[in-house]
């Protein structure tokens, strides 16, 4: 027993042999004295209460420990050894309140507890108003899905570069975690790009709908960078002149199938792709990647949505082959048959998906 317990007659015996109810009553009575003037107590008196309660509270019944943990968790000058003791209890109903909010617990204690205790203790820590990188390193390393999600959603949490990378890695398999990370104010541009690179389109669209306008712009830029990096190696086509030409035609009311057919027959690739993008509403960079693939199916789909005639679609296919390749007549006939059989509703669904990619 501590020296403090011997100051109160009979207390030593109660601590040693008293039943839990009696210990709880004494603990509550002493704690009540503390709560009455907690803000005015000198450090030496806080230490005295600490030495008294640390022997009584662990032996008190669960309900008493839960109540005391809840009340002490809200005090700036709570008895430090008692709070530390409560935080280390296996019973999460006792440890939870002090882990969630007690200002008395320092980072060293929280890190130690996070390394030793279970997921319930880690989850309680994620609710603290502030979490240092030392703490979140352990939470990310040891935490399960709920712990990591809650930590990522805590605006007062700070993450090291290593923990951020691990969060993003785990987010590739967790859409909820992706949304939590994507809304963090401290998310760097590079981390945003890494996050989006491993995310499904449906999650990207959801994220774009819940973040603020500034982050929406950042998402679009990050996706543009991802798409640019995915382009095949080799020289990039310059569409700037073609876009100016198409814009002029549009302003003059001459952008339509006739102009597109003329570009395709003249093998003007940039002008043809720029016209298709303007007419279909699909972003130019996405459309160029689609048409530059190893199949001409996107041309058939765009032709059906734009209600183009077969001569125009045929000219676009020949442009796709290029001046140094000539498709067999059977291949062109098969393309015509596929184009004729393609349902407009099916083509529209595909193009709608392409259009949506520009808003992530």
């Amino acid at each position: 027993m501590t020296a403090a317990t011997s100051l109160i007659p009979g207390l030593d015996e109660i601590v040693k042999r008293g039943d839990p109810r009696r210990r709880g009553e004494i603990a509550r009575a002493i704690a009540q004295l503390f709560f009455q003037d907690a803000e005015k107590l000198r450090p030496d008196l806080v230490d005295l209460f600490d030495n008294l309660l640390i022997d009584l509270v662990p032996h008190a019944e669960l309900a008493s420990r839960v109540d005391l943990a809840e009340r002490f968790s809200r005090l700036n000058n709570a008895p430090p050894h008692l709070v530390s003791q409560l935080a280390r209890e296996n019973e999460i109903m006792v440890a939870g309140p002090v882990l969630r909010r007690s200002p008395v617990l320092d980072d060293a204690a929280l890190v130690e507890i996070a390394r030793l205790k279970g997921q319930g203790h880690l989850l309680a820590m994620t609710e603290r108003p502030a979490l240092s990188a030392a703490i979140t390193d352990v939470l990310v390393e040891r935490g399960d899905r709920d712990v990591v999600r809650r930590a990522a959603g805590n605006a007062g949490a700070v993450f090291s570069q290593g923990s951020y990378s691990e969060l993003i890695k785990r987010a590739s398999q967790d859409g909820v975690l992706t949304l939590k990370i994507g809304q963090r104010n401290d998310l760097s541009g590079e981390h945003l790009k890494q996050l989006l690179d491993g995310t499904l389109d449906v999650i990207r669209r959801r994220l774009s709908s819940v973040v603020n306008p500034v982050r929406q712009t950042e998402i679009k830029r990050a996706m543009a960078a991802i798409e640019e990096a995915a382009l095949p190696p080799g020289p990039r086509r310059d569409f700037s002149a073609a876009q100016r030409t198409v814009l002029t035609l549009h302003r003059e009311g001459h952008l339509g199938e006739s102009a597109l057919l003329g570009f395709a027959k003249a093998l003007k690739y940039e002008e043809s792709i720029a016209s298709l993008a303007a007419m279909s509403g699909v972003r130019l960079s996405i459309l160029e990647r689609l048409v530059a693939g190893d199949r001409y199916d996107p041309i058939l789909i765009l032709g059906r949505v734009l209600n183009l005639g077969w001569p125009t679609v045929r000219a676009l296919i020949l442009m796709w082959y290029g001046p140094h390749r000539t498709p067999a007549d059977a291949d062109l006939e098969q393309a015509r048959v596929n184009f004729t059989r393609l349902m407009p509703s099916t083509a529209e669904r595909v193009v709608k998906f392409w259009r949506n990619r520009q808003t992530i």
Side-chain angles (χ1 to χ4, degrees):
M1 299 301 107
T2 65
T5 58
S6 63
L7 298 177
I8 301 177
L11 182 58
D12 205 27
E13 188 67 20
I14 292 172
V15 170
K16 290 179 179 178
R17 298 183 177 84
D19 64 74
R21 183 183 299 276
R22 181 60 174 156
R23 290 170 183 153
E25 291 173 354
I26 297 296
R28 284 195 299 272
I30 295 174
Q32 189 58 41
L33 291 175
F34 184 93
F35 296 139
Q36 285 178 1
D37 293 302
E39 297 180 358
K40 301 177 182 179
L41 291 177
R42 301 190 311 270
D44 58 326
L45 290 176
V46 173
D47 289 341
L48 176 62
F49 278 102
D50 204 359
N51 288 328
L52 288 168
L53 292 170
I54 202 170
D55 285 331
L56 283 168
V57 172
H59 303 286
E61 57 189 1
L62 177 60
S64 295
R65 304 201 312 277
V66 172
D67 177 65
L68 292 174
E70 183 67 36
R71 298 181 71 180
F72 278 121
S73 72
R74 303 179 185 278
L75 298 179
N76 292 324
N77 66 336
H81 294 98
L82 175 64
V83 168
S84 180
Q85 185 181 71
L86 293 170
R88 286 170 168 78
E89 280 216 26
N90 291 329
E91 177 55 66
I92 192 60
M93 292 176 63
V94 177
V98 292
L99 290 175
R100 291 186 189 98
R101 69 182 71 89
S102 175
V104 174
L105 289 174
D106 59 17
D107 279 8
L110 290 166
V111 167
E112 179 188 353
I113 295 169
R115 291 198 177 281
L116 296 176
K117 295 297 184 177
Q119 298 301 313
H121 289 67
L122 272 61
L123 189 63
M125 287 186 198
T126 64
E127 298 184 34
R128 295 183 70 83
L131 291 169
S132 71
I135 299 171
T136 57
D137 278 350
V138 185
L139 296 179
V140 173
E141 176 188 344
R142 296 194 63 235
D144 62 13
R145 183 189 64 180
D146 292 335
V147 169
V148 172
R149 284 178 175 177
R150 191 80 64 83
N154 187 333
V158 176
F159 295 93
S160 65
Q161 292 295 311
S163 287
Y164 241 130
S165 296
E166 181 62 24
L167 281 176
I168 291 170
K169 179 180 177 181
R170 294 178 67 163
S172 65
Q173 304 296 325
D174 187 342
V176 173
L177 182 57
T178 298
L179 297 177
K180 298 281 188 182
I181 298 172
Q183 296 179 77
R184 291 192 59 82
N185 292 329
D186 60 352
L187 184 67
S188 68
E190 183 58 32
H191 279 142
L192 175 61
K193 189 164 68 172
Q194 293 173 13
L195 179 69
L196 295 172
D197 201 13
T199 302
L200 297 175
D201 279 342
V202 64
I203 303 298
R204 293 172 181 170
R205 291 195 293 271
R206 173 60 180 157
L207 176 59
S208 187
S209 70
V210 299
V211 297
N212 59 47
V214 173
R215 181 54 54 83
Q216 289 176 2
T217 301
E218 293 173 351
I219 290 174
K220 291 179 181 179
R221 289 174 180 168
M223 285 309 305
I226 292 171
E227 291 164 0
E228 179 70 16
L231 291 175
R236 299 287 190 263
R237 292 180 179 271
D238 183 2
F239 286 89
S240 55
Q243 286 180 297
R244 288 193 293 270
T245 298
V246 169
L247 180 59
T248 299
L249 288 173
H250 175 70
R251 287 173 175 170
E252 295 175 353
H254 299 312
L255 179 61
E257 182 172 1
S258 178
L260 177 60
L261 177 59
F263 290 142
K265 283 186 173 181
L267 300 181
K268 293 185 175 181
Y269 182 89
E270 287 80 4
E271 286 80 359
S272 297
I273 299 303
S275 297
L276 283 171
M279 294 166 67
S280 67
V282 178
R283 194 167 65 189
L284 177 59
S285 61
I286 293 175
L287 187 58
E288 200 277 331
R289 285 182 59 202
L290 292 167
V291 177
D294 57 1
R295 296 177 63 88
Y296 54 69
D297 294 7
I299 293 174
L300 302 182
I301 294 170
L302 289 166
R304 177 56 69 203
V305 167
L306 297 175
N307 198 29
L308 302 178
W310 170 244
T312 303
V313 175
R314 181 179 183 277
L316 288 167
I317 292 174
L318 292 174
M319 181 198 70
W320 178 84
Y321 273 98
H324 304 298
R325 291 193 301 164
T326 302
D329 290 342
D331 291 337
L332 284 175
E333 176 59 19
Q334 186 60 56
R336 187 192 67 79
V337 171
N338 291 341
F339 176 68
T340 303
R341 292 176 176 175
L342 182 60
M343 295 292 293
S345 58
T346 301
E348 182 61 42
R349 283 197 298 271
V350 175
V351 172
K352 183 179 181 180
F353 172 75
W354 293 343
R355 290 173 183 144
N356 287 338
R357 285 182 63 86
Q358 54 197 330
T359 56
I360 316 304

